[in-house]
Structure formats: C-alpha cells, structure tokens
Amino acid sequence: MIGDAWLDRCSSPSPLLRGLAGNPAAPVNVLLRLVDSWPEQVCDGLRRRRELPPPVRDAMLHHPSPRIRGALAAHPQVDPVARAKLLADPVWRVRTRAFGRPGQEPLPDDVLVRLLTELDGPPSDMPFSREELIGELFEATRYDRRLFRLAAAHPRPGVRRFAAGSLYWLDEPSRQALLEDEVPDVRAAAVASVAHRQQVMEPADLPDQHCHAFWYVLQRPLSRALIDQVLASGDTAALRVMGENPSVPPDVIETLLRHPDPSVRQGVTGRVDLTGDQLVRLATDPAVEVRTAVSTHPGLTEQQRAGIDIDATTAPGDGHFGSADVRCGGIPYPDDAAPEITDALRWARSVNPLLRRRAARNAELPADIVTILADDPDLGVRVLLAQHHPAAPPTLLLSCYLEYHCCGRDRLSELPQFPTEGLARFADNPDPAVRRLVALDPHAAPELVDRLSADPDATVRQAMASSPRLPARRVTALLNHRELAEAAAANPALTVDHIQQILDRATAG
C-alpha cells in the first residue's frame, strides 16, 4: 500500500532501543523518552506493540516525526478522535496510513464522505493522482461495498465518476443512478463500464500466451468463434477457466464435461446452471478432485452430498489442512469473505466438511454451534473456528496449534484465550514452533527456559530471550548478544536499572 515502504524505512535502530519500544512492561516514562529522543529508531517497535498506553498515543499523535504519527495511524489501538486528526495530517503518507488496517474500527460514513471529497482534489504537489488515492482508500477498506455506495451518491462528480468505473460492485439502484447522472462525464463513464462488461470477446482479443490479459479475456463474454478456438487449442488450463464462464453455451458445457482431463471437468463444477443429470454425473466422476469440487454445489441435497466420495485435500485452498508435510501458499478464505450467518448456520450442520469449513469462519455463530464445530472430525473446520471465533475454547486453540502447520498457526498462540498453563511440557518437542510455547508458560522452570535460550532453532532462542521466566543473569548477558539483544530488551522481566543503562548507553553513543 502507499506509504508502507516509507514507514518501514525507519532508521536502522539499535536492537536494544527497538526491543525496549516493544517491551510490554516498559514504563510509560521510558516509552515517552524513546519517542522523544529516538523516534526514527523506535517507530517500528512502537507500531508492533500490542498495547500503547494513552500518554504514549498522545505523544505519538503530536510528534513532529511523520513516521511516528504514521506508526500510530497503523496501530489497532488508535482511537477514533486521534484517527480523525491523522486523516487530516499535513503529510499525505500519514493520512493514507490512517485509511484503515486490520484490527481498526471501520470509518463512519461521514468521515468516508469527507475523505472522498478531499481525495477528489489532492494538492498539486502530491505524487499520486486522484484515482490512485481513491483506489488506495478502497483497498484499505477491503473494497467495502459501503464505500462504493457512498462514492456513487457523492456530491462531487469526480468521485461519482470513479464509482462509475466500478459499476458492477454497486447495487442496482446505485448503478441506475449513475447511468442517469446529471453530469455527462459521469453518465459516460457508467455507460462505458456497462459496454466494457458486455463487450463480446473475439479470437483477436485473446493474447497468444498465458498472461493476466489472457485469463481476463476468458472471463469476459465470449463469442462462439473464440469458444471454438479455445476448444480446438487443447489448452487444458484455458478450457478449465472457460468452463467457469457463464456465457459458454450448454452444448459446450457438455463437451467439457466429457473432457478426458479432470481439471477441465473440475472447472465446470461451480456453474449454477448445471442440470440435475450433470450434477449426478459429476458427483460420480472417476476423479476424486472433480467429485470433491462439485460436492458443495447448491443444487445438491444433503442426502446427495452424503453419497459423494470426496477428498477434501484436493479442494483448491483447502489441501493444506492435510498432513504436517503440506505447506499452504495462502490463507484459504480471506478475512473479508466470511459467509452470511444464515448460510453459516445451514452449512454448519452439513455432511460436507468443506461447507462446514465455510461456516466455521463466521464469528457470530451461536454457542451451541461453536460447541459442535469445536469437536468436528475435520481438522480444517476446527482450525478455522479457532482462528475466527472469539469464543473458541482454549483447548481447541492448543490442539489446533499442535496439529496444524500452515497459514495462521502462529496467530492462534497470540489469541487472548490461548491456554498458557502447562506449556513447559513441550520443551523437548521436535517441532520448534511447539518448543516456542514454553516461553508462554507463566510457571516454566527458569532453568528450562535458560536451556532453551541456547536451542538449535533461532526462533526458539528468541522466544526464550523475551520470556519473563528467563533468569535475570541470562537476560543481562543476552543484552550484549548480537542475535538476541533485541529479544532480551523486550523481556518484561528486565529491571529498571538495566532499562536505564540501555538508555544511558544510547544517549552516550
């Protein structure tokens, strides 16, 4: 995002100062001194703190360094009043940081409208255009449809023209209003958006090789000539994508359903216009990945789903819930794709684990459903519930952490309900991520933490260096350790005397 690299370019900090800035037990007066005396060195540590005391937030808000203000703008604990001031900051990079970040409350409608007004006429010396800045706001809000609606009804034509370029993100009344807008440029942009959406792609429109434009064309309305060209090409990847296109006629779908390559047949499984006979044929397909893909189709009954032999590890985005050797390439369902509660309640009791996984992502599931899903036989269901529901049982979080090895695993141990008692028993676990849990145990033996501070794995050593159970003499020694100095400075057991020594050394240096 705009400004991210700028904020990350804080001066190369002393590891000790950066560690102190992130130390959860650092006194307010120490944090204020860090902000006042070494702002460029500690801004990254402050940004990553879980808690920012109110006096520190206030000092950051009024600090002359835009990087310190930007660090506050990106922090989940920035309050609405402070964020409103940051949104009017004279430095545009700070303002874009305040647009929105995970963990922050959504901006109210009136603030969004004001922001859109300001971004419609940015200063002449700003290195980004109106379109780029408004686009940044949309990205920061995760393309919230509320923002599209506000933009479509905005009093400034420039903002409405921007919304008209994304006409199909809008509801029907907003689309129609833009198509009938009193300003010719806005109407023209809306009409052009419709025309672009409806333009039928011909063979000449398809690039010669796979690229972003190639796949984009195959998702547009396709002429029969282009469809026949792709069919004749034998390009299985292109055929798979084309099979998802709603403009492809029924006779071609039949052809794709009989294709010898399972990936092509799999590409057809999500179509809403499949007939009952076609669903039955896909549900009994010889390839398990095809059967699995169609098993979530809304046209099937639960009884039909129950009769389909599937393998959830073959589902795109879901396979990483398998063995410990599997590593995922990304989180299967983005945070902004949680299902509606009505769908989640229906899917939660489905015989299909992939539908139950979708349900588990809804943070509003009632307690009785949470209890059921917490004991689900499918690991993916349990992990997604643990990651997304605030009432997920502590025992579930720990069991998922132990069983699961992919996206979001570390986030489980950071949740407030993650259990910490008894984690010392994992000191000799072969998995370094599990050994790291010892640092969270409030009763871990100091000699055990000391031993693990010399663990073969660097992440384990760092975790132990910041553990309050580490003996004081070892904490002191690690303050002079090149690799572990920052973690030791972040140790909440660090004494006031040692903190003062670090500050005095930084002042003298």
Side-chain angles (χ1 to χ4, degrees):
M1 297 181 71
I2 293 175
D4 279 5
W6 161 79
L7 181 63
D8 291 336
R9 286 200 302 270
C10 297
S11 300
S12 294
S14 156
L16 293 174
L17 291 177
R18 186 167 56 193
L20 281 184
N23 192 318
V28 169
N29 66 309
V30 169
L31 294 176
L32 290 175
R33 184 176 174 187
L34 291 171
V35 170
D36 182 60
S37 302
W38 301 281
E40 300 294 305
Q41 291 91 337
V42 302
C43 58
D44 189 55
L46 292 169
R47 178 164 58 104
R48 296 181 181 182
R49 284 183 65 88
R50 181 172 295 183
E51 301 287 339
L52 279 176
V56 178
R57 279 181 260 166
D58 187 63
M60 294 174 70
L61 176 63
H62 299 98
H63 201 279
S65 168
R67 289 194 175 97
I68 285 287
R69 300 197 304 275
L72 176 62
H75 199 280
Q77 285 193 341
V78 59
D79 62 84
V81 174
R83 192 172 171 200
K85 293 179 180 179
L86 292 166
L87 286 168
D89 195 276
V91 178
W92 63 268
R93 292 181 178 92
V94 175
R95 296 171 66 186
T96 58
R97 293 292 291 183
F99 282 174
R101 288 295 186 277
Q104 293 179 340
E105 294 183 12
L107 294 170
D109 286 5
D110 61 324
V111 174
L112 288 172
V113 170
R114 175 175 62 81
L115 268 177
L116 289 168
T117 301
E118 294 172 355
L119 297 178
D120 184 50
S124 59
D125 60 346
M126 188 172 288
F128 292 95
S129 68
R130 171 185 61 198
E131 287 73 20
E132 289 172 319
L133 288 170
I134 295 179
E136 178 76 6
L137 178 59
F138 275 82
E139 182 179 348
T141 59
R142 300 189 179 189
Y143 299 95
D144 187 345
R145 292 182 184 270
R146 176 176 59 111
L147 184 55
F148 280 95
R149 174 179 54 79
L150 293 172
H154 199 277
R156 299 192 69 139
V159 178
R160 299 201 303 278
R161 186 163 59 247
F162 182 92
S166 303
L167 204 65
Y168 287 89
W169 282 82
L170 297 164
D171 56 27
E172 182 56 36
S174 296
R175 286 200 296 266
Q176 194 58 41
L178 290 173
L179 288 167
E180 299 172 359
D181 197 279
E182 61 183 14
V183 177
D185 282 353
V186 177
R187 288 200 309 274
V191 170
S193 184
V194 172
H196 177 77
R197 179 90 171 196
Q198 295 177 347
Q199 181 183 359
V200 176
M201 297 289 98
E202 299 291 346
D205 296 313
L206 188 68
D208 294 332
Q209 58 187 4
H210 293 178
C211 58
H212 178 77
F214 183 94
W215 305 117
Y216 179 64
V217 167
L218 290 181
Q219 296 173 61
R220 305 274 301 280
L222 306 178
S223 70
R224 184 62 195 229
L226 180 51
I227 290 172
D228 289 342
Q229 174 181 301
V230 176
L231 282 173
S233 72
D235 185 338
T236 56
L239 288 171
R240 175 181 175 129
V241 173
M242 190 176 74
E244 302 170 358
N245 192 313
S247 69
V248 174
D251 66 298
V252 176
I253 297 303
E254 274 296 320
T255 299
L256 297 177
L257 280 168
R258 296 192 299 270
H259 197 279
D261 191 301
S263 69
V264 176
R265 303 196 300 276
Q266 188 177 18
V268 179
T269 57
R271 296 184 65 93
V272 296
D273 57 355
L274 292 174
T275 67
D277 174 68
Q278 289 171 335
L279 286 172
V280 169
R281 286 155 54 193
L282 289 168
T284 56
D285 192 279
V288 66
E289 61 267 36
V290 177
R291 301 195 302 271
T292 302
V294 81
S295 68
T296 61
H297 196 283
L300 295 170
T301 66
E302 281 297 294
Q303 183 177 2
Q304 288 174 311
R305 285 190 228 284
I308 303 175
D309 180 20
I310 70 170
D311 179 357
T313 64
T314 67
D318 286 272
H320 67 275
F321 288 114
S323 70
D325 296 329
V326 178
R327 293 293 183 267
C328 60
I331 296 175
Y333 301 111
D335 288 343
D336 57 355
E340 295 292 336
I341 187 63
T342 51
D343 291 329
L345 290 174
R346 185 174 71 256
W347 293 336
R349 298 182 182 277
S350 174
V351 297
N352 187 286
L354 298 177
L355 290 177
R356 299 199 304 276
R357 289 180 187 182
R358 296 180 190 178
R361 294 199 63 262
N362 190 295
E364 300 176 355
L365 289 172
D368 60 328
I369 299 297
V370 171
T371 299
I372 293 172
L373 295 182
D375 197 35
D376 197 280
D378 179 76
L379 175 62
V381 174
R382 301 194 303 274
V383 168
L384 289 167
L385 182 72
Q387 288 177 336
H388 294 94
H389 204 286
T395 53
L396 174 67
L397 269 59
L398 178 57
S399 66
C400 287
Y401 188 94
L402 297 175
E403 294 179 62
Y404 180 61
H405 299 266
C406 290
C407 301
R409 184 192 194 189
D410 288 338
R411 188 172 67 186
L412 292 172
S413 63
E414 297 170 358
L415 294 173
Q417 70 269 37
F418 190 85
T420 57
E421 297 281 344
L423 296 181
R425 68 185 186 274
F426 298 120
D428 296 310
N429 192 283
D431 184 351
V434 177
R435 295 200 300 278
R436 288 200 300 268
L437 294 179
V438 175
L440 302 177
D441 191 335
H443 305 296
E447 57 271 19
L448 176 62
V449 179
D450 191 0
R451 172 168 71 83
L452 289 175
S453 69
D455 191 90
D457 183 84
T459 65
V460 176
R461 296 194 297 271
Q462 290 165 356
M464 300 307 141
S466 61
S467 169
R469 301 294 294 169
L470 187 66
R473 57 169 178 75
R474 180 64 169 159
V475 176
T476 303
L478 293 181
L479 290 173
N480 297 307
H481 192 286
R482 175 186 296 181
E483 177 195 49
L484 301 177
E486 181 178 341
N491 194 313
L494 199 66
T495 67
V496 174
D497 287 343
H498 281 123
I499 291 176
Q500 190 60 51
Q501 290 174 20
I502 292 172
L503 295 178
D504 291 344
R505 188 189 313 175
T507 301

